[in-house]
Amino acid sequence: MNLTQKKTALIRRITALKSVLIAFSGGVDSTLLLKISHDVLKDRVVAVTAMSALQPAHEAETAMELAKAMGVQHVTFHARALADTEFVKNEPDRCYHCKRFLFQDLLSMAHDLGLAHVAHGANTDDVKDYRPGFRAADELGIVAPLMDAGIGKQDIRALSRQLKLSTWDKPAMACLASRIPYGTRLTGKRLEMVDAAEEVLHQEGFRSCRVRYHDTIARIEVPETDIPRFQDSALRRNLVGKMKKLGFAFITVDLAGYAQGSMNQDIKK
């Protein structure tokens, strides 16, 4: 299917839902899903954003601004994943436990709001990575209209650009837990360290970046084209000084560059 046909399929799928609560992070995927869903279903769409230490602090504010600009009813709530003993163990199935808690809360919210379905922004490219959270979505009947319409990440960016959405070229987002190696317990402090360290990089103009947590070591991942920037001694001193204040003893740059889902490499092998 070409892009126009995929968009038609998406509209058809959303129309069939009648009403929907959309898990809205403010990222490129969920923003497109929310925009088209609101265009089709109007006030039968509600966006919901989970607030927790698992998301960068500024992303919740971005989600609020986007929903307001679209004129969509938007609600927020505090997610409870960090209260789950299985999730904080940070085993390879952690996303299953997190998503199950999240989707159960969203289903309850949808019922209270009189909405027929809960949807998330999964797309066809997501199945290429290790995503145990999809099992929770399947078990609980959470729908994925983008995936159902055969839409992948490149399609999402193209459609977002057509619709003049500011998120069309936004870097990929991911839960902050994905920065911490499996088996290392998840704590609010560790997540806050990662979030703050990545914010330091954002302030220096790095759009796509990850700070992987390895106890006292912060391993920075940026696209290969950005790695030469670290030859600037003033930049290095600034980053080292700020990240050490956050609690890291050593700050490194991964010469392999940024790789989405790099913490899943051992699982894939």
Side-chain angles (χ1 to χ4, degrees):
M1 290 192 293
N2 61 34
L3 192 62
T4 299
Q5 291 170 325
K6 290 179 180 181
K7 183 179 179 181
T8 299
L10 176 59
I11 291 172
R12 187 182 304 117
R13 178 70 179 103
I14 291 170
T15 300
L17 297 177
K18 306 296 185 184
S19 62
V20 63
L21 180 73
I22 294 178
F24 181 54
S25 66
V28 60
D29 305 334
S30 63
T31 298
L32 177 68
L33 178 59
L34 181 60
K35 167 62 177 172
I36 294 182
S37 295
H38 184 247
D39 287 348
V40 173
L41 300 176
K42 308 302 180 187
D43 60 356
R44 291 170 290 159
V45 174
V46 176
V48 59
T49 300
M51 313 276 282
S52 78
L54 296 171
Q55 283 76 37
H58 67 275
E59 290 299 338
E61 297 176 8
T62 298
M64 292 177 193
E65 292 169 359
L66 288 167
K68 183 178 180 180
M70 284 187 269
V72 179
Q73 181 181 347
H74 183 224
V75 296
T76 62
F77 76 104
H78 289 280
R80 54 194 175 113
L82 285 175
D84 177 35
T85 55
E86 290 302 314
F87 174 70
V88 298
K89 286 179 184 177
N90 196 21
E91 298 299 329
D93 64 346
R94 70 155 183 253
C95 289
Y96 170 77
H97 298 288
C98 177
K99 293 296 187 184
R100 189 163 182 84
F101 266 101
L102 173 65
F103 290 144
Q104 285 173 338
D105 287 341
L106 297 191
L107 286 168
S108 177
M109 194 177 299
H111 178 269
D112 292 343
L113 292 168
L115 301 172
H117 298 277
V118 173
H120 65 144
N123 65 81
T124 58
D125 285 330
D126 288 330
V127 298
K128 298 175 184 177
D129 197 3
Y130 174 67
R131 299 291 176 97
F134 282 8
R135 179 159 57 97
D138 290 340
E139 290 174 356
L140 296 171
I142 308 302
V143 299
L146 296 172
M147 187 176 293
D148 294 341
I151 291 175
K153 182 67 76 173
Q154 186 175 347
D155 302 319
I156 291 169
R157 293 196 183 279
L159 287 171
S160 297
R161 191 170 189 178
Q162 283 184 9
L163 294 170
K164 295 181 171 53
L165 296 175
S166 61
T167 53
W168 76 270
D169 65 342
K170 186 174 183 177
M173 296 167 51
C175 163
L176 291 174
S178 66
R179 280 54 154 186
I180 299 178
Y182 292 116
T184 300
R185 189 175 181 82
L186 297 175
T187 67
K189 180 180 179 181
R190 288 169 176 166
L191 293 166
E192 288 170 6
M193 285 173 68
V194 168
D195 186 18
E198 290 188 358
E199 182 58 28
V200 169
L201 290 171
H202 291 317
Q203 290 173 358
E204 291 292 341
F206 293 96
R207 293 192 70 216
S208 295
C209 61
R210 296 288 187 268
V211 175
R212 309 296 185 183
Y213 177 97
H214 299 278
D215 194 14
T216 59
I217 299 172
R219 176 168 61 87
I220 297 170
E221 290 183 9
V222 297
E224 288 185 56
T225 53
D226 280 342
I227 291 176
R229 288 193 59 194
F230 294 101
Q231 295 178 12
D232 183 332
S233 59
L235 173 66
R236 292 199 308 274
R237 286 195 299 270
N238 181 50
L239 294 178
V240 169
K242 289 182 176 179
M243 291 190 186
K244 282 193 172 184
K245 287 181 180 178
L246 297 176
F248 292 108
F250 307 99
I251 292 82
T252 69
V253 177
D254 193 323
L255 297 182
Y258 167 61
Q260 187 173 351
S262 67
M263 292 299 204
N264 293 331
Q265 288 178 359
D266 289 340
I267 293 175
K268 291 176 182 178
K269 291 176 184 177

